[in-house]
Amino acid sequence: MIKLEGVSKTYASGAHPALQDISLDIEKGEFVFLVGSSGSGKSTLLRMMLKEERPTTGTIYVAGKDLNKLQSWKLPALRRGIGTVFQDFRLLPNKTVEQNIAFALEVIGRPRAHVKKVVPEVIELVGLEGKEKRYPDELAGGEQQRVAVARAFVNRPPLLLADEPTGNLDPTTAVGIMKLLDRINRTGTTVVMATHDSNIVDQMRKRVIQLHHGEMVRDQARGVYGYLT
Amino acid sequence: MRMGFVAEEIRVGFRRNFTMTIAVIVTIAASLALFGAGLMVRAQVSTMKDYWYDKVQLSIFLCGDNSQVPSCSGGAVTPAQRTAIKADLLAQAPLVEAVFYESKKQAYQRFVKQFANSAIVQNVSASALPESFRVKLSDPSQYSVIQSQFAGRPGVEQVQDQRKLLDKFFKLLSGLQTVALGIALAMLLVTVLLVVNTMRVAAFSRRREIGIMRLVGASNWYVRLPFIAEAAVSAFFGATLAGGVLVAIKHFGIDQRLAPEYQFTTFIGWNALWQIIPVVYIVGIGIAVASSALSLRRYLRV
C-alpha cells in the first residue's frame, strides 16, 4: 500500500533533518502506529504520503504510484483514495453533520442519489444516528471526531491517514474513536495513525513505527509505545 | 460536475462577500459604461461621416447684393455668370458627380426647417441667404481642384469645403472618444485589481472549505469554478447596469434631447447599440473571468 525508500526531508532553516533515510513498507489492510514525540517527523511523513510535501531525497509509493512522478492533475485522484483525520477535526462550522459528510462527496462530483444513499450508512457506522442535523459546535469533541472520521471514510478509501486523532479527546472518548478506526481497519482499509498516546498504542497491540529526531528507531509488529519518549 | 452544488457555493459566496461583490459590480458597471460610451461616440462619428460625406461636399456660394468680397464688386451674380459657372462645373466630370442649384428661396426654406425651434428664424429674411451651387465630388479629397478654379471668380462669393467644417466637429468627437476610452481603460485596470483582491479575500474566507476540498481530492476546477463563476456573475450584473446606462443615454440623451434639436444630422440608431452592448458584456465578463482565474492560480494551488 505504502512504500518508502530512503526518504529524507531537510528544511533550509532546520538544524537537523526533519526526516532521515526512512525506508518502510506498509501492506494492504495493516494498522500501523507512527509514534514519537512532537517534532519527531510523524506529521511530515503523513503529509508526504498525501503529497502535501515532497521528500528532499528518496521515493514514496502510495497505491503503487511513485509520488515524485505523479503529475499534479492526477493528485486529486490520489487523494480520493486516501481518507484523512486530524487532531483538530477540521469540520465546517456552518454545515450540519450530514452536510459536512456529504460535502466530501459533492466536491468530487458524486451524484445526489449516491450521496443520499451512503451518507446515512456512514453515519450509522460511526454511531451518530439522530445527530444528522446538528452543527459541529453542538457536539462533544468525540462526536465531532466521529463526524471527521465519517467524512474521511464516506468515499470508502483504501487508505486512512490519521494525525493524532485522539489528541484533543479524553481517554474514554479516545477509546471510542480507536474502536471506530479498528472497525474501519477490519473492512480492509489500511490505517496509518500518528500518535503519542501510549495507552492507546499499548492496548491495541498493532505494528508500531517509532521516529526520533527524524530517524526511524523501531519497527515492531504488535508493539507497545516503548520508552524512548 | 454538479451544477446545483456549484450554484449553491456561488450563492453562499455572494452572501459572505456582499460588500466586496457590490464594489466589484459597481466598478465593472462604471468602467463598462464608459467603455460603451466611447464605442457609442465612435459609432456616432462614423454614422455622421457616412451621412455627411455622402451628401454635398462642396458649396459654391454666389454673390448677393451685400457681398463684401472683391469678386463680388460687380454686385449680385448675373444670370449669365450663373449659367457659365454651372457649365464649367459640369465640364469637370467625372470629378464632379452632381451639381444642385439652391436659390435664395430654397435656402430660406431649408433654414426655416432646420431652425424651426429657434427664434433666429424671425430675424432672417429670404434675401439675406446666399444662393449657391451644391457640388458632389466623386473623390472628396480632390476639393482643391475645384477650389482653385472657382474661388475669386466674378459672381462667386466663397467656395466652402463642407468636410472642413465637419472635420473640426469630428475632431472634437474623436477627442471625446479618446478620453472616454482612456478613462475606461484605467477603470478596467482598477476592475482587474479589485477582482484580484476580491478573489483573495473570498479564497481566504473560504480557506476551510478549500482545505477540505483539496484533502478529499476535489479537482482544480471544482475548487476554482465557484470563484470564477462568482466573478462572472458579478461582471454580468455590472455589464447589465452599464447596458442600462447606455440605453438611457440613447433614449433620454440622444432621442429626446439631441435629435430634436439637431435635425440637420443623423444620430446612431438602436442597431448600433445592439452591437455595442454584447461587446460590453463580452469584455466585462472576459476581464472578470481572466483576472479571477489568474489570481486563483496564485492563491488556490493544489
Side-chain angles (χ1 to χ4, degrees), chain A:
Chain A
M1 194 72 218
I2 302 172
K3 189 174 178 174
L4 276 71
E5 287 174 352
V7 170
S8 297
K9 176 80 184 180
T10 334
Y11 292 109
S13 57
H16 59 86
L19 287 173
Q20 209 169 6
D21 195 25
I22 309 280
S23 294
L24 56 85
D25 218 326
I26 297 172
E27 295 296 326
K28 207 172 187 169
E30 266 194 287
F31 196 117
V32 180
F33 284 112
L34 272 177
V35 302
S37 50
S38 301
S40 59
K42 306 184 298 272
S43 295
T44 306
L45 206 58
L46 288 182
R47 289 167 59 78
M48 280 183 180
M49 292 172 187
L50 278 167
K51 215 193 169 193
E52 291 236 40
E53 265 179 71
R54 284 148 202 261
T56 313
T57 57
T59 325
I60 302 173
Y61 298 92
V62 174
K65 291 190 182 78
D66 182 347
L67 296 197
N68 289 338
K69 292 185 182 151
L70 192 75
Q71 287 138 308
S72 62
W73 65 270
K74 283 183 178 166
L75 198 53
L78 172 85
R79 289 185 180 158
R80 282 174 200 195
I82 305 175
T84 37
V85 179
F86 298 92
Q87 182 173 3
D88 56 358
F89 319 138
R90 302 201 185 171
L91 301 175
L92 299 174
N94 54 346
K95 290 188 191 294
T96 62
V97 167
E98 59 183 5
Q99 283 169 345
N100 261 289
I101 299 168
F103 185 74
L105 294 171
E106 280 161 349
V107 299
I108 59 174
R110 290 282 186 271
R112 194 186 303 261
H114 174 76
V115 175
K116 275 196 171 156
K117 184 172 155 288
V118 299
V119 170
E121 283 173 14
V122 80
I123 285 177
E124 198 192 324
L125 176 81
V126 300
L128 283 176
E129 303 101 315
K131 305 207 163 156
E132 292 87 347
K133 308 286 185 207
R134 300 284 191 90
Y135 286 88
D137 58 7
E138 301 167 352
L139 298 175
E143 290 169 328
Q144 290 189 39
Q145 192 62 296
R146 282 171 193 271
V147 179
V149 172
R151 182 181 64 194
F153 191 61
V154 69
N155 199 29
R156 307 280 159 163
L159 174 62
L160 190 76
L161 302 179
D163 193 356
E164 310 250 14
T166 58
N168 274 352
L169 305 176
D170 63 71
T172 330
T173 319
V175 169
I177 294 294
M178 289 318 298
K179 281 186 177 157
L180 178 57
L181 291 180
D182 191 37
R183 202 181 313 152
I184 285 171
N185 176 237
R186 282 174 208 278
T187 66
T189 298
T190 312
V191 177
V192 179
M193 171 173 162
T195 185
H196 49 222
D197 187 333
S198 54
N199 286 333
I200 284 174
V201 178
D202 293 347
Q203 274 168 25
M204 297 282 288
R205 290 282 167 160
K206 301 283 187 184
R207 178 176 172 192
V208 174
I209 292 169
Q210 184 167 8
L211 297 175
H212 187 69
H213 290 316
E215 283 179 73
M216 196 168 89
V217 293
R218 179 163 65 121
D219 183 356
Q220 187 179 17
R222 306 183 63 76
V224 293
Y225 194 81
Y227 315 99
L228 266 167
T229 53

Side-chain angles (χ1 to χ4, degrees), chain B residues 19-42:
Chain B
T19 46
M20 283 296 256
T21 306
I22 294 297
V24 168
I25 290 176
V26 170
T27 318
I28 287 179
S31 49
L32 287 180
L34 271 168
F35 175 69
L39 293 183
M40 274 172 84
V41 173
R42 201 176 68 164

Side-chain angles (χ1 to χ4, degrees), chain B residues 56-65 67 72 76-78 81-83 85-87 89 98-111 114 126-136 146 150 155-162:
Chain B
V56 172
Q57 290 108 16
L58 201 76
S59 295
I60 299 180
F61 292 104
L62 303 178
C63 293
D65 291 324
S67 300
C72 292
V77 65
T78 64
Q81 280 173 332
R82 194 189 296 137
T83 319
I85 290 167
K86 179 161 191 185
L89 274 171
V99 178
F100 309 99
Y101 173 71
E102 191 180 69
S103 69
K104 281 174 181 292
K105 207 176 154 194
Q106 284 167 330
Y108 181 69
Q109 278 166 356
R110 198 162 62 88
F111 181 82
Q114 250 177 39
S127 60
L129 292 166
E131 53 187 306
S132 62
F133 284 112
R134 306 266 153 163
V135 182
K136 189 162 153 51
I146 306 296
F150 290 92
V156 173
E157 185 182 358
Q158 197 192 3
V159 179
Q160 198 180 54
D161 186 0
Q162 300 281 19

